[in-house]
Amino acid sequence: MAEMAILKIGEEVYELPVIIGTEGERALDISDLRDQSGLITLDIGYKNTGSTTSSITFLNGEKGILRHRGYSIEDLAEKSSFIEVCYLLVHGELPTKEQLATWDEDIRHQTLVNEDMSNIFAAYPTGSHPMGQLVAMVSSLSSFYPESLNPNRTPEQQLHTIRRMLAKMPTICAMIYKKSAGHPKIYPNNNLDYVSNFLNMTFKHVTEDYEIDPVIVDAMDKLLILHADHEQNCSTSTVRIVGSSHANLYTSISAGIAALWGPLHGGANQEVIEMLEAIRNDGGNTEKWLDKAKDKNDPFRLMGFGHRVYKNFDPRATIIKKACDQVLTKLGIHDPVLDIAKKLEEAALNDPYFVERKLYPNVDFYSGIIYRAIGFPTEMFTVLFALGRLPGWIAQWREMRADKQPIGRPRQLYTGAVSRAYVPIEQRGAVTA
Ligand code: ACO
């Protein structure tokens, strides 16, 4: 029998079941609290609210643990490939050789996007932010594949849409890059693996060959794996809540991309590099910038620092920091902002303000330095995050549909005016607001 928690309010006593996850995590099931008591729970920003059960990703923020389907992020980053991690997240198990080959093949042969999508791109003004284009382009896929509009069709139809989404995302991201550079697009080459194809579409020029560097492919693959899923963060929760109304996959993912764009979430990777550049241009005085971050009258925050759930270290940041050193060394690049980043990290980790608040570098702190070394402009960084996070959003959306979850609809505690009579305009006093 389930353990019960007792909630006592005045003389009234309510029993709430305690639900236990497979890793021993405990949760109070308050789903019928309102029916029992008329009370709702209030948790602004969902800081302590579980919105779902999920078997995709386990995260322990105190211990710095991140696992997908039971496999540690360290193992996956070192031993797996992004395309395999996509399979793992979507299907729940690591694929056999044959399953991986079929998965890879099915995705490879759907990389072309409808030529009409170029017309949409053409309408964007030069200099428009890549993330705005990505939101629109991914949602536009639903116009090209109307059979995806009903997400409750056959499981095979749903999987087809999923593979199509995975296949077309790198092409769309590369097209956005080409548009921003003012260069003609490069079509996919399906002889290439997922990451190489993306790099080729991005960096090849129509007039020249592009030599695919395995060091860059490995680095990019690892970065995508490290971003692949992160349970119920802001963008994933958005994908789930949009999908809960039975919106199609493309539109649900597009909503997640919009949520990711914000600087407190995925948009932080662009902001980190801009911050490091600003510190460099300002003479490299990290102490001055740490003071700014600590000053409550200054809106500046140390970008790439802090996390809602990691309160010890972000395991992805640890892997990326190491990879950053390795990649830059292998590519023979010395980036002065890496020195500033390390100096800033060290100073912050020894500063009581950051120590007391348990603020550590997050996944975004070092990722931008690798993206930069590969050759991406800063405005593309959050697009790369979206490319990596795609399989996680898809897996979470699919799980929600498979679990037949109800439409997401939080409650609120109303704090506005109580009922009052409408005042005709002639009788209203001067507006002071
Ligand atoms: N720089 C300075 N102070 C910070 C920072 C920071 N980066 N992050 C948190 N704090 C301070 C807050 O001011 C607050 O201080 P107070 O208690 O004195 O008021 C305290 O630490 C707690 O911060 P909250 O904002 O309440 O924590 P929350 O969990 O809501 O926010 C977040 C987490 C948004 C990640 C925050 O740490 C932040 O803004 N970081 C910078 C942006 C960033 O790097 N975002 C990427 C996150 S990872 C990802 O989404 C992929």
Side-chain angles (χ1 to χ4, degrees):
M1 192 163 130
E3 190 185 347
M4 301 300 277
I6 306 293
L7 174 68
K8 191 161 181 275
I9 304 168
E11 292 308 307
E12 300 294 332
V13 172
Y14 308 103
E15 288 200 334
L16 302 169
V18 176
I19 313 287
I20 303 180
T22 50
E23 288 280 353
E25 291 184 305
R26 288 146 64 85
L28 280 185
D29 181 352
I30 52 95
S31 47
D32 75 347
L33 177 65
R34 190 165 181 275
D35 289 342
Q36 281 192 58
S37 66
L39 291 167
I40 64 157
T41 55
L42 183 65
D43 178 22
I44 295 168
Y46 311 122
K47 291 198 174 194
N48 195 36
T49 293
S51 58
T52 185
T53 56
S54 177
S55 59
I56 301 169
T57 290
F58 173 70
L59 198 164
N60 181 322
E62 282 71 35
K63 295 186 181 153
I65 295 173
L66 174 61
R67 295 187 204 124
H68 299 315
R69 304 286 193 186
Y71 299 102
S72 78
I73 191 65
E74 289 81 6
D75 264 1
L76 293 172
E78 195 190 322
K79 299 170 189 164
S80 189
S81 65
F82 179 63
I83 200 75
E84 183 178 71
V85 171
C86 291
Y87 185 99
L88 174 69
L89 288 169
V90 171
H91 290 283
E93 296 295 335
L94 284 171
T96 61
K97 247 186 197 170
E98 292 73 29
Q99 285 167 332
L100 183 60
T102 309
W103 175 248
D104 183 273
E105 193 69 8
D106 286 347
I107 291 173
R108 250 176 223 236
H109 286 97
Q110 296 189 66
T111 50
L112 260 187
V113 298
N114 191 302
E115 211 46 34
D116 284 345
M117 282 193 97
S118 302
N119 299 333
I120 310 178
F121 270 115
Y124 280 105
T126 309
S128 63
H129 197 285
M131 283 297 278
Q133 296 179 44
L134 189 63
V135 170
M137 287 299 157
V138 169
S139 188
S140 298
L141 285 172
S142 56
S143 307
F144 291 92
Y145 303 104
E147 66 275 23
S148 69
L149 293 181
N150 175 1
N152 301 322
R153 289 177 72 184
T154 63
E156 187 37 49
Q157 175 60 48
Q158 196 190 72
L159 266 177
H160 189 54
T161 299
I162 286 172
R163 290 188 297 256
R164 200 181 248 155
M165 177 73 254
L166 285 165
K168 302 203 185 303
M169 183 77 160
T171 313
I172 292 173
C173 293
M175 283 169 90
I176 290 173
Y177 173 82
K178 288 298 192 198
K179 166 78 192 176
S180 67
H183 294 162
K185 66 175 174 282
I186 300 291
Y187 286 98
N189 172 354
N190 293 344
N191 294 321
L192 297 173
D193 64 75
Y194 195 84
V195 171
S196 302
N197 207 359
F198 169 60
L199 291 169
N200 193 59
M201 285 186 281
T202 305
F203 294 119
K204 182 179 159 46
H205 291 278
V206 272
T207 47
E208 287 167 26
D209 283 339
Y210 169 67
E211 202 176 314
I212 298 166
D213 183 339
V215 172
I216 292 181
V217 176
D218 279 358
M220 193 67 216
D221 202 76
K222 196 181 286 237
L223 281 168
L224 294 179
I225 293 173
L226 290 170
H227 286 87
D229 191 48
H230 213 234
E231 50 116 301
Q232 308 313 317
N233 54 78
C234 175
S235 55
T236 304
S237 300
T238 303
V239 170
R240 275 188 177 255
I241 208 155
V242 172
S244 76
S245 73
H246 296 203
N248 66 78
L249 178 74
Y250 303 124
T251 301
S252 306
I253 299 291
S254 159
I257 296 169
L260 186 76
W261 192 359
L264 297 190
H265 191 15
N269 59 12
Q270 172 176 345
E271 303 259 338
V272 170
I273 287 290
E274 287 168 1
M275 171 188 79
L276 294 173
E277 279 291 359
I279 298 175
R280 187 168 84 115
N281 295 338
D282 192 38
N285 183 350
T286 47
E287 287 305 325
K288 175 178 157 192
W289 287 77
L290 279 188
D291 287 345
K292 259 170 84 61
K294 293 188 283 184
D295 181 356
K296 294 291 172 200
N297 297 317
D298 189 326
F300 173 74
R301 282 192 163 196
L302 198 55
M303 298 314 286
F305 252 74
H307 199 276
R308 171 61 62 78
V309 288
Y310 289 122
K311 298 298 171 197
N312 192 346
F313 68 97
D314 179 341
R316 303 165 303 170
T318 311
I319 301 170
I320 292 185
K321 184 180 178 188
K322 207 166 131 204
C324 191
D325 271 329
Q326 287 168 349
V327 173
L328 264 64
T329 307
K330 279 188 194 160
L331 295 177
I333 294 175
H334 174 77
D335 189 338
V337 301
L338 179 58
D339 301 332
I340 290 179
K342 285 182 176 172
K343 205 170 136 196
L344 199 57
E345 180 191 354
E346 203 193 330
L349 295 183
N350 288 303
D351 186 308
Y353 175 96
F354 292 90
V355 174
E356 279 158 22
R357 288 170 180 75
K358 299 185 175 9
L359 302 171
Y360 297 86
N362 60 49
V363 66
D364 288 328
F365 195 65
Y366 286 101
S367 61
I369 300 176
I370 309 186
Y371 293 143
R372 208 159 110 113
I374 294 175
F376 291 103
T378 47
E379 289 211 326
M380 279 295 288
F381 290 2
T382 316
V383 169
L384 302 173
F385 191 147
L387 180 60
R389 182 56 50 88
L390 182 63
W393 288 330
I394 291 174
Q396 301 270 352
W397 180 91
R398 185 167 186 249
E399 181 180 69
M400 181 201 55
R401 295 262 37 87
D403 290 350
K404 299 199 170 24
Q405 291 192 355
I407 187 165
R409 205 304 187 181
R411 298 230 172 220
Q412 65 163 18
L413 192 68
Y414 177 67
T415 58
V418 293
S419 176
R420 47 184 169 165
Y422 178 79
V423 183
I425 197 157
E426 311 76 46
Q427 294 171 21
R428 288 175 214 162
V431 176
T432 50

